[in-house]
Amino acid sequence: LFVVAEHRAAEPIIPLALFTSRNFVLATAAGLFIGVAMFGAISYLPTYLQMVTGVSATVSGLMMLPMVAGLMTTALTTGFLASKTGRYKWMPIASMVVLAAALWLLSTLTVETPVWVLLVHLFVLGAGIGLAMQILILIVQNSFPDSQVGTATASNNFFREIGASLGGAVVGALFTSRLTDLLSARLPAEGGGDTNSFTPAAVNEMPEALREIIIGAYNDALTPVFVTLIPMVLAGLVIVLF
């Protein structure tokens, strides 16, 4: 329906002619995969930090700063190197490799993992995202004349947002399904309470034995999901090779 509508429109929102550019198609597809991995990974990490480490919502947000630091470091570095050398192809390739490694590292987290190790993993995740985020947009922008740069950039961002939505939805569905199964299997038949009421604040006030069960289930439900995102990143790796 999108193709039909845009084909017939006198002033299409996303002109189909954009898709005749190989760089646009490949960079946009790679950006979509990055969006899936990025938002699929970070959507539930703040709540995970609250549950497992017992910190407040504010502190859990601050604990995401290493990811931002990693993203800024590599984004600034790649921008400088691209303008200095004119060589950029290795950056999206390195991004996919680092992203896959970061997702695998996140999948190894346990309740006993030291906080500093978790923060290092978040830094690696951010570094992987930053390696390609801006470069892919620059590739798109440099593939079109000035009159089409705005449309091409917006279209690229649009599909990246689709990836973000898909990532959050996929991870959310897998995580909640696993969590429900684990809680049903591990909680006592009586006294477990309504699983929908297991907010971080409520869990922190529970008896230690019950709290450990819930935290363990939360960890075991979320961390394996990161592995399921790795094939998407590897598909992105194949795309950027071209």
CSV table of all heavy atoms in Angstrom, one decimal, residues 26-27 30-31 34 78 82 87-99 128-137 139 233 236-242:
chain,number,residue,atom,x,y,z
A,26,LEU,N,21.1,0.4,1.2
A,26,LEU,CA,22.0,-0.4,2.1
A,26,LEU,C,22.1,0.3,3.4
A,26,LEU,O,22.1,-0.3,4.5
A,26,LEU,CB,23.3,-0.7,1.4
A,26,LEU,CG,23.3,-1.5,0.2
A,26,LEU,CD1,24.7,-1.7,-0.4
A,26,LEU,CD2,22.7,-2.9,0.5
A,27,ALA,N,22.4,1.6,3.3
A,27,ALA,CA,22.6,2.4,4.6
A,27,ALA,C,21.3,2.5,5.4
A,27,ALA,O,21.3,2.4,6.6
A,27,ALA,CB,23.1,3.8,4.2
A,30,ALA,N,20.8,-1.0,7.0
A,30,ALA,CA,21.7,-1.1,8.1
A,30,ALA,C,21.3,-0.3,9.3
A,30,ALA,O,21.3,-0.7,10.4
A,30,ALA,CB,23.1,-0.7,7.7
A,31,GLY,N,20.8,0.9,9.0
A,31,GLY,CA,20.3,1.8,10.1
A,31,GLY,C,19.1,1.2,10.8
A,31,GLY,O,18.9,1.3,12.0
A,34,ILE,N,20.4,-1.4,13.1
A,34,ILE,CA,21.0,-0.8,14.3
A,34,ILE,C,19.9,-0.3,15.3
A,34,ILE,O,20.0,-0.4,16.5
A,34,ILE,CB,21.9,0.4,13.9
A,34,ILE,CG1,23.2,-0.1,13.2
A,34,ILE,CG2,22.3,1.3,15.1
A,34,ILE,CD1,24.1,1.0,12.7
A,78,THR,N,34.8,9.0,14.6
A,78,THR,CA,34.6,8.6,13.2
A,78,THR,C,34.3,9.8,12.3
A,78,THR,O,34.7,9.9,11.1
A,78,THR,CB,33.4,7.6,13.1
A,78,THR,OG1,32.2,8.2,13.7
A,78,THR,CG2,33.7,6.3,13.7
A,82,ALA,N,36.6,10.5,9.1
A,82,ALA,CA,36.0,10.5,7.8
A,82,ALA,C,36.3,11.8,7.1
A,82,ALA,O,36.6,11.8,5.9
A,82,ALA,CB,34.5,10.3,7.9
A,87,ARG,N,37.9,8.2,4.2
A,87,ARG,CA,37.6,6.7,4.2
A,87,ARG,C,36.6,6.4,5.3
A,87,ARG,O,36.9,6.8,6.5
A,87,ARG,CB,38.9,5.9,4.4
A,87,ARG,CG,40.0,6.2,3.3
A,87,ARG,CD,41.3,5.5,3.6
A,87,ARG,NE,41.1,4.0,3.4
A,87,ARG,CZ,41.2,3.4,2.3
A,87,ARG,NH1,41.5,4.1,1.2
A,87,ARG,NH2,41.0,2.1,2.2
A,88,TYR,N,35.6,5.7,5.0
A,88,TYR,CA,34.5,5.5,6.0
A,88,TYR,C,34.0,4.1,5.9
A,88,TYR,O,33.3,3.7,6.9
A,88,TYR,CB,33.4,6.5,5.7
A,88,TYR,CG,32.7,6.3,4.4
A,88,TYR,CD1,31.7,5.4,4.2
A,88,TYR,CD2,33.0,7.1,3.3
A,88,TYR,CE1,31.1,5.2,3.0
A,88,TYR,CE2,32.4,7.0,2.1
A,88,TYR,CZ,31.5,6.0,1.9
A,88,TYR,OH,30.9,5.9,0.7
A,89,LYS,N,34.2,3.3,4.9
A,89,LYS,CA,33.6,2.0,4.8
A,89,LYS,C,33.8,1.1,6.0
A,89,LYS,O,32.9,0.3,6.4
A,89,LYS,CB,34.0,1.3,3.5
A,89,LYS,CG,33.3,0.0,3.3
A,89,LYS,CD,33.7,-0.6,1.9
A,89,LYS,CE,32.9,-2.0,1.8
A,89,LYS,NZ,33.2,-2.6,0.5
A,90,TRP,N,35.0,1.2,6.6
A,90,TRP,CA,35.3,0.3,7.7
A,90,TRP,C,34.5,0.6,8.9
A,90,TRP,O,34.3,-0.3,9.8
A,90,TRP,CB,36.8,0.4,8.0
A,90,TRP,CG,37.2,1.7,8.6
A,90,TRP,CD1,37.7,2.8,7.9
A,90,TRP,CD2,37.2,2.1,10.0
A,90,TRP,NE1,38.0,3.8,8.7
A,90,TRP,CE2,37.7,3.5,10.0
A,90,TRP,CE3,36.8,1.5,11.2
A,90,TRP,CZ2,37.8,4.2,11.2
A,90,TRP,CZ3,37.0,2.2,12.3
A,90,TRP,CH2,37.4,3.6,12.4
A,91,MET,N,33.9,1.8,9.0
A,91,MET,CA,33.2,2.2,10.2
A,91,MET,C,31.9,1.5,10.5
A,91,MET,O,31.7,0.9,11.6
A,91,MET,CB,33.0,3.7,10.2
A,91,MET,CG,34.3,4.6,10.2
A,91,MET,SD,34.0,6.3,9.9
A,91,MET,CE,35.7,6.9,9.7
A,92,PRO,N,31.0,1.4,9.5
A,92,PRO,CA,29.8,0.6,9.7
A,92,PRO,C,30.1,-0.9,9.9
A,92,PRO,O,29.4,-1.6,10.7
A,92,PRO,CB,29.0,0.8,8.4
A,92,PRO,CG,29.5,2.1,7.8
A,92,PRO,CD,31.0,2.1,8.2
A,93,ILE,N,31.2,-1.4,9.2
A,93,ILE,CA,31.5,-2.8,9.4
A,93,ILE,C,32.0,-3.0,10.9
A,93,ILE,O,31.5,-4.0,11.5
A,93,ILE,CB,32.7,-3.2,8.5
A,93,ILE,CG1,32.1,-3.1,7.0
A,93,ILE,CG2,33.2,-4.6,8.8
A,93,ILE,CD1,33.2,-3.3,6.0
A,94,ALA,N,32.9,-2.1,11.4
A,94,ALA,CA,33.3,-2.2,12.8
A,94,ALA,C,32.2,-2.1,13.7
A,94,ALA,O,32.1,-2.7,14.8
A,94,ALA,CB,34.4,-1.1,13.0
A,95,SER,N,31.2,-1.2,13.4
A,95,SER,CA,30.0,-1.0,14.2
A,95,SER,C,29.3,-2.3,14.5
A,95,SER,O,28.9,-2.6,15.6
A,95,SER,CB,29.1,0.1,13.6
A,95,SER,OG,27.9,0.1,14.3
A,96,MET,N,29.0,-3.0,13.4
A,96,MET,CA,28.2,-4.2,13.5
A,96,MET,C,29.0,-5.3,14.3
A,96,MET,O,28.4,-6.0,15.1
A,96,MET,CB,27.9,-4.8,12.1
A,96,MET,CG,27.1,-3.9,11.3
A,96,MET,SD,25.5,-3.5,12.0
A,96,MET,CE,24.9,-2.3,10.8
A,97,VAL,N,30.3,-5.4,14.2
A,97,VAL,CA,31.1,-6.3,14.9
A,97,VAL,C,31.1,-6.0,16.4
A,97,VAL,O,30.8,-6.8,17.3
A,97,VAL,CB,32.5,-6.3,14.4
A,97,VAL,CG1,33.4,-7.2,15.3
A,97,VAL,CG2,32.6,-6.8,13.0
A,98,VAL,N,31.3,-4.7,16.7
A,98,VAL,CA,31.3,-4.2,18.1
A,98,VAL,C,29.9,-4.4,18.7
A,98,VAL,O,29.7,-4.8,19.9
A,98,VAL,CB,31.7,-2.8,18.2
A,98,VAL,CG1,31.6,-2.3,19.7
A,98,VAL,CG2,33.2,-2.7,17.8
A,99,LEU,N,28.8,-4.1,18.0
A,99,LEU,CA,27.5,-4.2,18.4
A,99,LEU,C,27.2,-5.7,18.8
A,99,LEU,O,26.6,-6.0,19.8
A,99,LEU,CB,26.5,-3.8,17.4
A,99,LEU,CG,25.9,-2.4,17.6
A,99,LEU,CD1,24.9,-2.1,16.4
A,99,LEU,CD2,25.2,-2.2,18.9
A,128,GLY,N,29.6,0.8,19.8
A,128,GLY,CA,29.2,0.1,18.6
A,128,GLY,C,28.2,0.9,17.8
A,128,GLY,O,28.2,1.0,16.6
A,129,ILE,N,27.2,1.5,18.5
A,129,ILE,CA,26.2,2.4,17.9
A,129,ILE,C,26.8,3.6,17.3
A,129,ILE,O,26.5,4.0,16.1
A,129,ILE,CB,25.1,2.8,18.9
A,129,ILE,CG1,24.4,1.5,19.5
A,129,ILE,CG2,24.1,3.7,18.3
A,129,ILE,CD1,23.5,1.8,20.7
A,130,GLY,N,27.7,4.2,18.0
A,130,GLY,CA,28.3,5.5,17.6
A,130,GLY,C,29.2,5.3,16.3
A,130,GLY,O,29.4,6.3,15.5
A,131,LEU,N,29.8,4.1,16.1
A,131,LEU,CA,30.6,3.9,15.0
A,131,LEU,C,29.9,4.1,13.7
A,131,LEU,O,30.5,4.4,12.6
A,131,LEU,CB,31.2,2.5,15.1
A,131,LEU,CG,32.5,2.3,15.9
A,131,LEU,CD1,32.8,0.9,16.2
A,131,LEU,CD2,33.7,3.0,15.2
A,132,ALA,N,28.6,3.8,13.6
A,132,ALA,CA,27.9,3.9,12.4
A,132,ALA,C,26.7,4.9,12.3
A,132,ALA,O,26.3,5.2,11.2
A,132,ALA,CB,27.3,2.5,12.1
A,133,MET,N,26.2,5.3,13.4
A,133,MET,CA,25.0,6.1,13.5
A,133,MET,C,25.1,7.3,12.5
A,133,MET,O,24.2,7.5,11.6
A,133,MET,CB,24.7,6.5,14.9
A,133,MET,CG,23.4,7.4,15.0
A,133,MET,SD,23.0,7.8,16.7
A,133,MET,CE,22.2,6.2,17.1
A,134,GLN,N,26.1,8.1,12.7
A,134,GLN,CA,26.2,9.3,11.9
A,134,GLN,C,26.8,9.1,10.5
A,134,GLN,O,26.4,9.7,9.5
A,134,GLN,CB,27.0,10.4,12.6
A,134,GLN,CG,26.4,10.9,13.8
A,134,GLN,CD,25.0,11.5,13.6
A,134,GLN,OE1,24.0,11.0,14.1
A,134,GLN,NE2,25.0,12.5,12.8
A,135,ILE,N,27.7,8.1,10.4
A,135,ILE,CA,28.3,7.8,9.1
A,135,ILE,C,27.3,7.3,8.1
A,135,ILE,O,27.3,7.7,6.9
A,135,ILE,CB,29.4,6.8,9.3
A,135,ILE,CG1,30.6,7.3,10.1
A,135,ILE,CG2,29.9,6.3,8.0
A,135,ILE,CD1,31.3,8.5,9.5
A,136,LEU,N,26.4,6.5,8.5
A,136,LEU,CA,25.3,6.0,7.6
A,136,LEU,C,24.5,7.1,7.1
A,136,LEU,O,24.1,7.1,5.9
A,136,LEU,CB,24.4,4.9,8.3
A,136,LEU,CG,25.1,3.6,8.6
A,136,LEU,CD1,24.2,2.7,9.4
A,136,LEU,CD2,25.5,2.9,7.3
A,137,ILE,N,24.2,8.1,7.9
A,137,ILE,CA,23.4,9.3,7.5
A,137,ILE,C,24.2,10.1,6.5
A,137,ILE,O,23.7,10.5,5.4
A,137,ILE,CB,23.0,10.2,8.7
A,137,ILE,CG1,22.0,9.4,9.6
A,137,ILE,CG2,22.4,11.5,8.2
A,137,ILE,CD1,21.7,10.1,10.8
A,139,ILE,N,26.5,9.0,4.5
A,139,ILE,CA,26.6,8.2,3.2
A,139,ILE,C,25.3,8.5,2.4
A,139,ILE,O,25.4,8.7,1.2
A,139,ILE,CB,26.7,6.7,3.5
A,139,ILE,CG1,28.1,6.4,4.1
A,139,ILE,CG2,26.5,5.9,2.3
A,139,ILE,CD1,28.2,5.0,4.6
A,233,VAL,N,22.0,-8.1,13.8
A,233,VAL,CA,23.2,-7.3,13.6
A,233,VAL,C,24.2,-7.9,12.6
A,233,VAL,O,24.8,-7.2,11.8
A,233,VAL,CB,24.0,-7.1,15.0
A,233,VAL,CG1,25.3,-6.4,14.8
A,233,VAL,CG2,23.1,-6.4,16.0
A,236,GLY,N,23.0,-7.0,9.3
A,236,GLY,CA,23.5,-5.7,9.0
A,236,GLY,C,24.9,-5.7,8.6
A,236,GLY,O,25.3,-4.9,7.7
A,237,LEU,N,25.7,-6.5,9.2
A,237,LEU,CA,27.1,-6.6,8.8
A,237,LEU,C,27.3,-7.0,7.3
A,237,LEU,O,28.1,-6.5,6.6
A,237,LEU,CB,27.8,-7.7,9.7
A,237,LEU,CG,29.3,-8.0,9.3
A,237,LEU,CD1,30.2,-6.8,9.4
A,237,LEU,CD2,29.8,-9.1,10.2
A,238,VAL,N,26.5,-8.0,6.9
A,238,VAL,CA,26.5,-8.5,5.5
A,238,VAL,C,26.1,-7.3,4.6
A,238,VAL,O,26.7,-7.1,3.5
A,238,VAL,CB,25.6,-9.7,5.3
A,238,VAL,CG1,25.5,-10.0,3.8
A,238,VAL,CG2,26.1,-10.9,6.1
A,239,ILE,N,25.1,-6.5,5.0
A,239,ILE,CA,24.6,-5.4,4.2
A,239,ILE,C,25.7,-4.4,4.0
A,239,ILE,O,25.9,-3.9,2.9
A,239,ILE,CB,23.4,-4.8,4.8
A,239,ILE,CG1,22.2,-5.7,4.7
A,239,ILE,CG2,23.0,-3.4,4.2
A,239,ILE,CD1,21.0,-5.3,5.5
A,240,VAL,N,26.4,-4.0,5.1
A,240,VAL,CA,27.3,-2.9,5.0
A,240,VAL,C,28.6,-3.3,4.2
A,240,VAL,O,29.4,-2.4,3.8
A,240,VAL,CB,27.7,-2.3,6.3
A,240,VAL,CG1,26.5,-1.6,7.0
A,240,VAL,CG2,28.3,-3.3,7.3
A,241,LEU,N,28.8,-4.6,4.1
A,241,LEU,CA,30.0,-5.0,3.3
A,241,LEU,C,29.9,-4.6,1.8
A,241,LEU,O,30.9,-4.5,1.1
A,241,LEU,CB,30.1,-6.6,3.3
A,241,LEU,CG,30.6,-7.2,4.7
A,241,LEU,CD1,30.5,-8.7,4.6
A,241,LEU,CD2,32.0,-6.7,5.0
A,242,PHE,N,28.6,-4.3,1.4
A,242,PHE,CA,28.4,-3.9,0.0
A,242,PHE,C,28.3,-2.4,-0.2
A,242,PHE,O,27.9,-1.9,-1.3
A,242,PHE,CB,27.1,-4.6,-0.5
A,242,PHE,CG,27.2,-6.1,-0.6
A,242,PHE,CD1,26.8,-6.9,0.4
A,242,PHE,CD2,27.8,-6.7,-1.7
A,242,PHE,CE1,26.9,-8.2,0.4
A,242,PHE,CE2,27.8,-8.1,-1.8
A,242,PHE,CZ,27.4,-8.8,-0.7
